Amino acid sequence: MGTSIKELRDSTGLTQKEFAKVFGIPISTLRKWEQGENSPARYVVRMMARLLPTESSTNIPYTDNDGRKYYYNKNAGVLIDSIGNVIRVDEDLDGVKSENLPLYIKDLFDEFYDIQEKFNSDCRFDKQEDIIWS
């Protein structure tokens, strides 16, 4: 069948809960798939795999201390997290100490996730309240 759903999730470094949230899968369904009780359709696994970044000749992988994977595409000048969020970077990462770079990348994405959550929260609040900001 090719790649299993567990192999696909493991390649991202995400927990079951995180992976289920990214793809909108009930956690119980994901667990059944991983335990072999049920199987997703092959096309579902292939579609999920196509949405996730992979190591390639242009994507250099980095793994942080928590096992999360990130990719650097030097040609495009971007960093990509394991679920496909892309952040453009102006700095050439060649020469940055290999021990430090995963820490810097993790910090960058952690800040991105924080501001993304603030944005989502602001939008939810805006839908509920009659406020115009100036």
Side-chain angles (χ1 to χ4, degrees):
M1 175 176 136
T3 303
S4 75
I5 197 74
K6 180 159 181 16
E7 290 170 328
L8 187 60
R9 183 180 63 79
D10 287 345
S11 75
T12 67
L14 297 174
T15 65
Q16 285 183 332
K17 184 177 180 181
E18 293 165 334
F19 190 85
K21 182 179 178 187
V22 166
F23 286 103
I25 304 166
I27 188 77
S28 59
T29 301
L30 180 60
R31 286 186 179 131
K32 288 177 183 176
W33 287 350
E34 288 193 5
Q35 294 168 359
E37 294 176 32
N38 289 322
S39 297
R42 289 193 315 215
Y43 75 88
V44 170
V45 177
R46 284 195 304 265
M47 285 183 355
M48 293 166 96
R50 287 186 181 136
L51 293 173
L52 299 172
T54 60
E55 183 176 344
S56 68
S57 60
T58 56
N59 286 342
I60 302 164
Y62 292 94
T63 304
D64 70 18
N65 292 338
D66 297 329
R68 295 209 186 257
K69 295 196 177 185
Y70 305 94
Y71 302 88
Y72 174 52
N73 185 312
K74 181 177 181 172
N75 296 336
V78 296
L79 289 164
I80 311 163
D81 70 2
S82 63
I83 58 172
N85 289 305
V86 177
I87 298 176
R88 179 165 309 284
V89 292
D90 294 329
E91 189 64 33
D92 184 349
L93 303 183
D94 286 344
V96 177
K97 294 173 189 69
S98 61
E99 299 86 0
N100 294 336
L101 189 53
L103 300 172
Y104 302 152
I105 295 171
K106 180 184 183 313
D107 286 348
L108 176 64
F109 275 97
D110 284 349
E111 291 292 326
F112 170 79
Y113 303 141
D114 288 346
I115 198 67
Q116 185 181 51
E117 180 51 38
K118 182 185 180 316
F119 174 83
N120 292 334
S121 176
D122 288 346
C123 289
R124 285 189 300 270
F125 180 77
D126 188 83
K127 292 175 188 177
Q128 298 170 0
E129 301 296 326
D130 187 22
I131 296 173
I132 302 296
W133 302 104
S134 57

